[in-house]
Amino acid sequence: MKRILVVDDEENIRFLFKEELEEEGFLVELASSGEEALERLSLFRPDLITLDIKMPGMNGIEVLKRIRELERNLPIVLCSAYGDYKQDFTTWASDAYVVKSADLTELKSTIRKFLERR
Amino acid sequence: MSGQDYAYDLLKKFLQISTVSLPMETKLEQILHSISEAFQPDQCLLLRPDQVNPNGLFLRVVSEKKALCIEDGASFDKEKIFPDEERFLCPAFICLPMADGEHFQGILYLGFSKHRHFLSEEVGLLLLLAKGIGELLRNEILHAEADQTIAKLTALHTQLSTLCELNKTLLTTVHFERILGMILTATTHGDGLGFNRAMLFMVDEKRRVLKGTIAVGPDNAEEAGRIWKALSHKGGSPSVVIPQIESPPESVSQLDLLVKGIEIPLEQEQCILVKTVLEGRPLNIRTSQSDEGWFRTGREGHCSLSSGVGCYEGRLLSRDPKSYAFATVPLWGKGRIIGVILVDNLFNQNTIKDEDIQFLSMFANQAGLAIENALLYRNLQEAHHELKEAQSLIIHNEKMAALGELSNTIAHEIKNPLTAIGGFARRLDRTTLSESPEKRYTETIIQEVAKLERVLNDFNHYTHEHSMIYDSQDLSRILEASLSSVTDEFSKGKIQLVKEYGEGIPKVLGDPHQLKHAFHNLIKNACESMVHKGTLSLRLYPFSKNGASYVRLEVKDTGKGIDPESLPNIFNPFYSTKKSSLGLGLPIVHKIVISHQGQIEVDNHPGEGVTFIITFPAFEGVAAQGQS
């Protein structure tokens, strides 16, 4: 079973992602901040991370940088409320950028794309 | 009668006559008559200076201003005189200089048929009288000269006060067209300069042409009469009358239309108008009967302004170019010639005198400055207008920036809960049986959340200046990608999709996200306009114009079209006819297309549908690469 780490400061988003992704057959672990995500990384050993950008404390871009230092090949999907950061070159280190929506089709297909490729 | 008495009488008469106000001729006649009575000569003459030869008989009289008394004419040496002076050789005669100091006014001559002795008192008296007559004549000349000077001064004064009046008139406005109208009205007005017609040509420095700008004057003699009659009824000084004269409606004056159509290149040096500009001096073209000189006019069917071969701009100014008399004066601005005034007297055929031209030139100097001022004022107004626009643009941009900042904060706060609401609604929806009443509830939540998400995305997009990453893009791929986000509408069978992609579509330079967003908005918009059923046609094809290649996308729907009243506003932000939209969809499309150097057109057929036509310039080179 593929393991996904969902990083988001919004509890309900975490809840939604967990429900939806588990239904897709993934094992889902949650982190409510960048710091927590970095802690979970070595224990949980995810196959993919979804990462919110706007978070209190360490933001998604920073987390992205730190994870890349540790795990060069781990797929990371940036997941933001808007496309604001799409053109920001600091997000290029991620593998995909998905704008959050109630319709999770795009997110799911993006995740599947990476996990099936592996 | 004693010697003393006649002398006294004669002097008294002379004084009387010279002080009475009578014409000079009469005075002289009466004086001569009195002298004749006193001396009883056979001839009593006044010789004007031009009747006196200073080298002959009258040599001494003229040169030394002394009396010549000959008591025995026969003894006079005829060798010393000219033949035509022999008539003066009476048996006795006396010549007296009519001189007033320096000024020699002629000779008083008395001739007697018998020998006669001249007493010294008589000679003295006659000398005195001759001198008196000389002074009288001198006075008369001075008088006449004074009168002439006064007349000249009066004329000058009239001209100056007219000029002053006209200037006053010009000062009443800085409105460019009005100034021009006034100048020409003043030029043609009877109390002004009084020409029949006046035309004004302005120098267009950029295009190097002399352009007909305005003309004032009747179209025919009949109208001329009517206007002059009307003007003479108005009365008052030009400064009062001219501003009252309303410029006639556009189409009224044929002459104005004619002149407005005239354009003469400044290279046409043979044209009198151009010559006036180049030489900077007035030209008075009376008529041109000869082919000689530096200009030639009036070969049959040719230009009245003698433009030379290839330019017949002035051919319609008069019926007979051969006898067309006109004058031109340059209009001086600040240190340069800004135009030319052309005047003629086509209807009353009055000769244009050099004084008229001089006067017109004086006026033209003022007029030129007035025009220059009006132009400056106009430029100032334009600059002011531009500044105002720039200012409102800045204010608009600042507003948008503030709005963006605010919206960004709020939008982020709303977006996450909305995602959760919608996400769980979808989860509920999946587990709800389609027959159950709850199905409608969940569907409604999903739809409304989707709408809200769109509003937020649009808002976020419009208020953010996205830094775009331009790269070579395949529009058909971007179009496909944007179609995939609206598959719902097509899968439900509500809307039929027709795609037509042309061959060899060049790539364009652009940002894929932006372009996708723009196409998405257009497609979504088209789908929403077709409420029940309809066809969405997408045409993508290359075309070239003026040697440049373009890619064009047509998005056509069969919806209700756009209300013609709303049409001018569809690209304005926050203008929406839809209840559920912020009205940012089309403004975003517009913004994105413009930022891609593209063009957007709308082909609107209310009730039948609307087609949005977007044209992007092809990205050369890369298009070739793409093909290889």
Side-chain angles (χ1 to χ4, degrees), chain B residues 46-59:
Chain B
L46 284 181
L47 301 174
R48 291 196 308 272
D50 58 309
Q51 293 169 318
V52 174
N53 191 325
N55 298 316
L57 178 62
F58 306 116
L59 177 69

Side-chain angles (χ1 to χ4, degrees), chain B residues 159-296:
Chain B
Q159 278 196 347
L160 283 176
S161 31
T162 309
L163 209 57
C164 181
E165 284 288 328
L166 296 179
N167 282 342
K168 241 198 277 176
T169 314
L170 292 183
L171 286 177
T172 56
T173 181
V174 282
H175 186 263
F176 182 66
E177 274 78 19
R178 247 179 110 50
I179 286 274
L180 296 187
M182 278 181 180
I183 288 168
L184 294 198
T185 309
T187 313
T188 50
H189 190 263
D191 290 335
L193 293 97
F195 291 101
N196 283 185
R197 305 193 298 178
M199 301 151 221
L200 194 142
F201 300 82
M202 297 286 290
V203 175
D204 185 337
E205 291 282 356
K206 267 188 216 146
R207 295 173 47 225
R208 300 285 303 152
V209 294
L210 202 53
K211 172 112 186 60
T213 310
I214 184 173
V216 169
D219 290 330
N220 48 50
E222 205 177 282
E223 197 193 334
R226 198 154 41 78
I227 290 174
W228 291 330
K229 210 172 160 192
L231 276 181
S232 63
H233 279 302
K234 284 216 169 192
S237 65
S239 66
V240 178
V241 175
I242 291 169
Q244 289 173 1
I245 300 167
E246 286 303 317
S247 42
E250 283 295 319
S251 60
V252 166
S253 167
Q254 290 290 320
L255 180 67
D256 193 38
L257 282 181
L258 177 69
V259 165
K260 281 193 164 86
I262 293 182
E263 218 174 79
I264 303 159
L266 288 176
E267 284 71 39
Q268 284 285 358
E269 285 173 27
Q270 273 190 299
C271 176
I272 301 294
L273 291 173
V274 174
K275 212 161 180 72
T276 311
V277 172
L278 296 181
E279 296 184 4
R281 64 185 179 94
L283 297 168
N284 191 358
I285 311 304
R286 286 180 179 93
T287 45
S288 50
Q289 299 299 337
S290 72
D291 259 12
E292 288 172 0
W294 48 265
F295 71 89
R296 282 191 306 217

Side-chain angles (χ1 to χ4, degrees), chain B residues 136 169 287 294 320 392 414 458 467 528 530 557 620:
Chain B
L136 210 58
T169 314
T287 45
W294 48 265
D320 181 11
S392 58
I414 296 174
D458 280 354
S467 56
E528 278 169 7
M530 297 182 277
D557 66 51
E620 320 282 348

